[in-house]
Amino acid sequence: MTRPVLLSGIQPSGQLTLGNYIGAIRNWKALEDDYDCLFLLVDLHAITVRQDPADLRRRCREFLALYIACGLNPERSQIFAQSQVRGHGHLAWILDCYAMVGELNRMTQFKDKSRKHADNINAGLFNYPVLMAADILLYQTQLVPVGDDQKQHLELTRDIAQRFNTLHGEVFTVPEPFIPPVGARIMGLQEPTAKMSKSDDAPTNAIYLLDEPKTITRKIKRAVTDTDGEVRYDPQAKPGVSNLLQIFAAVSGRDIDSLVNEYAGGGYGRLKGDLADAVVALIEPLQARYNEFQADPALLDGILTRAAENANARAEATIRRVHEVLGFLQ
Ligand code: ATP
Ligand code: LTN
């Protein structure tokens, strides 16, 4: 029996956060057995922002080691770098001719990143969602597990696929997003009205998967809350406390109501202390496994190379079909 295809990606930029884990990686693991999975280190996407080459190379291995430490199975799933399969850039060019400038102009990530990197608003940043569409459509993907911020890109991918199929026949599978019901948008600890992000300049705003346990505890204890002292879930009026409750629900598997019942009236101290313990209990074993994998670079490179070979063959099949319907010489 062939399993449906699942694909997702993370940029090898910055350091992986608890937001990446809750919004993306742990859902990949939960779905891994039921799908034929491809997990990309999207290095072509990462260079839309300037990267140091040595750091980029190091991070690709580091992220892979963390994925395996989080429980992904490289024997079963294909984990590789986007740049190892030339078809991504190739299909992105073709799909550029099926994506409208007006559509790309509406992408909120483009607007945010343009504001953040005002000195380098390059064309890659603008075309970023088309490369993401290529990643997905190249493998006839059915399901794409992502955090809430990627929903708009997924909708664009579906529109591009449908537009292409209407003109040229059923070439692409139209993918569905998978957005987790809890934890799809973990906010910053210091700035709880903006999402926790792995390439933020303010390290106390994010919990990194490789932070030392005492650093994690300190960051959670210093997280911004408010002054009314009431443990209640209300993201509008109480973004800080609501974010802590959301993180707690995600890492403990409990629902927010039961946490509110337990901590109501107790002030924020006990909530923060218990949350810090729960996060550390999740992350400590993961770090121990990470250190083992990191000590074996040959193992990591072997995983990437094997997966890239597998993915290349699959990508070629789609590209052949695309060339045929477009009238390119074979
Ligand atoms: P960067 O700051 O480098 O742009 P990022 O932290 O936004 O990075 P991405 O590589 O853009 O991370 O995203 C990887 C995956 O993690 C995506 O599926 C994204 O939706 C998810 N994700 C990122 N941040 C969060 C968050 N704060 N809460 C939930 N999911 C998140
Ligand atoms: N744009 C995504 C990363 C990404 C991705 C993908 C996610 C690139 N290609 C394909 C899912 C499927 C982001 O999180 N910034």
Side-chain angles (χ1 to χ4, degrees):
M1 265 265 296
T2 56
R3 292 171 292 160
V5 177
L6 176 153
L7 180 142
S8 197
I10 293 190
Q11 303 182 65
S13 52
Q15 302 184 55
L16 285 170
T17 70
L18 189 63
N20 298 130
Y21 178 78
I22 293 172
I25 303 168
R26 71 172 187 152
N27 306 306
W28 301 356
K29 177 172 150 47
L31 296 162
E32 193 177 36
D33 285 342
D34 295 329
Y35 289 83
D36 172 11
C37 297
L38 299 120
F39 299 119
L40 304 180
L41 300 154
V42 293
D43 48 2
L44 298 174
H45 277 113
I47 63 162
T48 52
V49 170
R50 297 282 174 249
Q51 303 289 342
D52 174 74
D55 285 346
L56 190 62
R57 195 170 293 124
R58 175 183 53 72
R59 263 192 240 111
C60 276
R61 295 197 183 103
E62 188 180 294
F63 280 27
L64 167 64
L66 261 169
Y67 291 174
I68 315 174
C70 290
L72 293 184
N73 179 356
E75 304 282 322
R76 182 143 207 188
S77 300
Q78 311 303 328
I79 311 176
F80 58 99
Q82 191 184 28
S83 62
Q84 292 178 298
V85 178
R86 303 286 192 269
H88 292 262
H90 181 81
L91 184 62
W93 168 257
I94 293 171
L95 297 182
D96 269 335
C97 304
Y98 294 81
M100 300 298 140
V101 167
E103 287 173 319
L104 296 178
N105 256 327
R106 284 196 291 276
M107 295 294 123
T108 56
Q109 182 176 298
F110 172 64
K111 291 184 213 166
D112 290 349
K113 295 249 161 167
S114 302
R115 228 172 286 127
K116 251 193 194 162
H117 305 279
D119 56 340
N120 181 24
I121 307 178
N122 57 70
L125 204 56
F126 187 68
N127 285 346
Y128 179 112
V130 185
L131 178 58
M132 176 163 163
D135 297 341
I136 296 167
L137 301 181
L138 199 49
Y139 302 99
Q140 307 298 343
T141 304
Q142 263 132 308
L143 195 71
V144 184
V146 282
D148 182 64
D149 61 313
Q150 296 302 310
K151 206 163 139 190
Q152 198 185 28
H153 289 165
L154 241 293
E155 276 156 17
L156 178 70
T157 301
R158 289 170 55 86
D159 290 343
I160 292 174
Q162 276 157 349
R163 188 172 298 143
F164 192 97
N165 286 352
T166 302
L167 288 165
H168 301 293
E170 295 302 306
V171 175
F172 296 123
T173 302
V174 180
E176 297 287 338
F178 174 92
I179 314 245
V182 179
R185 196 178 192 81
I186 302 295
M187 310 306 261
L189 296 180
Q190 293 301 317
E191 230 187 295
T193 49
K195 109 182 159 86
M196 183 182 285
S197 156
K198 68 177 146 53
S199 19
D200 228 344
D201 292 334
T204 52
N205 200 35
I207 296 172
Y208 300 112
L209 296 181
L210 295 179
D211 269 344
E212 287 198 23
K214 64 175 188 304
T215 309
I216 294 174
T217 302
R218 187 166 15 92
K219 285 181 179 178
I220 292 177
K221 292 205 164 153
R222 291 187 187 163
V224 165
T225 47
D226 50 52
T227 51
D228 73 18
E230 199 187 334
V231 176
R232 184 161 55 83
Y233 188 74
D234 182 345
Q236 293 300 318
K238 297 172 70 69
V241 177
S242 302
N243 188 39
L244 296 179
L245 285 167
Q246 192 191 192
I247 296 173
F248 208 162
V251 301
S252 67
R254 295 176 57 184
D255 61 44
I256 288 181
D257 287 347
S258 98
L259 290 168
V260 170
N261 280 337
E262 182 175 338
Y263 290 95
Y268 301 144
R270 193 163 67 89
L271 172 72
K272 284 180 166 180
D274 288 357
L275 171 60
D277 290 347
V279 173
V280 167
L282 173 88
I283 283 184
E284 250 182 343
L286 192 154
Q287 293 184 348
R289 288 195 295 274
Y290 166 80
N291 289 329
E292 279 173 35
F293 296 124
Q294 260 303 70
D296 194 348
L299 171 90
L300 298 175
D301 288 346
I303 290 171
L304 295 172
T305 308
R306 237 182 306 119
E309 273 169 23
N310 173 299
N312 250 308
R314 298 165 64 164
E316 269 311 304
T318 299
I319 288 175
R320 231 175 286 124
R321 176 96 180 98
V322 168
H323 280 203
E324 189 186 317
V325 300
L326 291 177
F328 292 168
L329 297 175
Q330 296 286 337

